[in-house]
Amino acid sequence: MEDGVLKEGFLVKRGHIVHNWKVRWFILRQNTLLYYKLEGGRKVIPPKGRILLDGCTITCPCLEYENRPLLIKLKTQTSTEYFLEACSREERDAWAFEITGAIHAGQPGKVQQLHILKNSFKLPPHISLHRIVDKMHDSSSGIRPSPNMEQGSTYKKTFIGSSLVDWLISNNFAASRLEAVTLASMLMEEHFLRPVGTRSTGAVRSGDLAEQFLDDSTALYTFAESPKRKISSKEEISLSAVELSGTVVKQGYLAKQGHKRKNWKVRRFVLRKDPAFLHYYDPSKEENRPVGGFSLRGSLVSALEDNGVPTGVKGNVQGNLFKVITKDDTHYYIQASSKAERSEWIEAIKKLT
């Protein structure tokens, strides 16, 4: 990275006038967050805009958009609000941590607190959130939602916060109540659970980076069922439930060359195993449904040369490119944001081919 750059990468930003969502390349410096338009896989100079961080407040997680659970909200001294979406919980928290550090750069005590928080808020590698949720739905040993009352209102199919903490500990997913609360917070942030009623919803909207989930007998939660959408027969992509049932191994924003028009667009890529598939999503859309994807069985993946424009690539797109050739000989040209990121993706895909 360039001198003075604390973090850089893709984020999806909400427009100010028309509230549409567009991918931008963000560069974080000590007191400014710059964002750039992209053309042909490259950032367009000068920057499209800048966010002055002095006196800024940050809300993470921000739950103002139900279908965008991975948001960060920044509010400047002039009360201008910026909504930024990351590709994963880990990436969102990394951005929030670095931005908060830049905002509080003159307060060493606050920065130290953030380091402790960052290091404590991690999911153990042997625990899969999908596995926990599957176990929670188990008819014999899972969580059993039931009607619960809060402030005179009855909420059907809910469970109380302290009961879930007890359940996570008794099923050996967590060793302590603090660990269980952290784990439950992750389940909620990844949209497996949602708060119900005033008590739990109020805690989520506090904007604290840490405990969003309440170990409390008065806080209510329920399973966050994903909205069902009718699929049009005109849609080109026919996705089976099996394809999307695999464990997520890696995800992130990458630029991809289109098959027909050969233009470059940033997509959120999700790599899954068992079964091995690579899907890509349009981050400007509200719905969490892939716009494309392919099986990795029998595929080939390789880096493309960094000098000049490789064969098969349209436009002056250079650097950090790689190619995936599927079993049926379809060629996908993809660009990462750095050589290191390209290597990580290639290694992760190779393990599944």
Side-chain angles (χ1 to χ4, degrees), residues 61-63 66 68-70 89 92 121 129 133 136 159 161 164 168 180-196 199-206 208 210-215 219-224:
C62 169
L63 300 180
E66 186 178 348
R68 294 184 182 272
L70 299 172
R89 186 192 62 77
R92 182 204 60 197
F121 202 72
L129 293 182
V133 174
M136 287 173 69
F159 42 86
L164 179 56
L168 288 169
V181 166
T182 302
L183 198 49
S185 298
M186 290 179 179
L187 287 167
M188 195 159 56
E189 289 180 29
E190 292 291 347
H191 232 43
F192 291 114
L193 306 177
R194 64 179 175 84
V196 176
R199 183 95 170 84
S200 57
T201 304
V204 168
R205 295 193 182 280
S206 70
D208 193 344
E211 296 174 11
Q212 295 293 307
F213 187 90
L214 294 177
D215 180 7
L220 302 181
Y221 300 88
T222 188
F223 291 113

Side-chain angles (χ1 to χ4, degrees), residues 8 39 49-50 57 65 71 75 78 89 113 115 121 132 190 209-210 226 242 259-260 264 267 278 281 307 316 333:
E8 62 181 324
E39 283 183 11
R50 66 186 67 230
T57 58
Y65 286 84
L71 282 180
K75 190 173 184 178
T78 58
R89 186 192 62 77
Q113 265 185 334
H115 276 287
F121 202 72
I132 294 171
E190 292 291 347
L209 268 171
S226 57
V242 176
H259 286 298
K260 294 176 182 176
W264 287 84
R267 298 293 186 229
L278 185 61
Y281 300 70
N307 297 322
N316 189 26
Y333 294 94

Side-chain angles (χ1 to χ4, degrees), residues 94-164:
W95 271 104
F97 174 77
E98 295 293 349
I99 292 170
T100 308
I103 292 170
H104 298 290
Q107 304 172 38
K110 182 75 175 179
V111 175
Q112 187 180 14
Q113 265 185 334
L114 286 165
H115 276 287
I116 294 168
L117 175 62
K118 183 185 180 186
N119 292 332
S120 65
F121 202 72
K122 286 182 179 175
L123 182 67
H126 64 281
I127 292 180
S128 157
L129 293 182
H130 287 279
R131 182 175 156 235
I132 294 171
V133 174
D134 287 344
K135 184 88 170 173
M136 287 173 69
H137 280 285
D138 189 282
S139 58
S140 58
S141 59
I143 290 282
R144 295 185 180 178
S146 59
N148 283 285
M149 185 173 285
E150 184 196 39
Q151 296 183 1
S153 299
T154 300
Y155 299 91
K156 296 179 179 179
K157 295 184 177 180
T158 57
F159 42 86
I160 61 177
S162 54
S163 293
L164 179 56

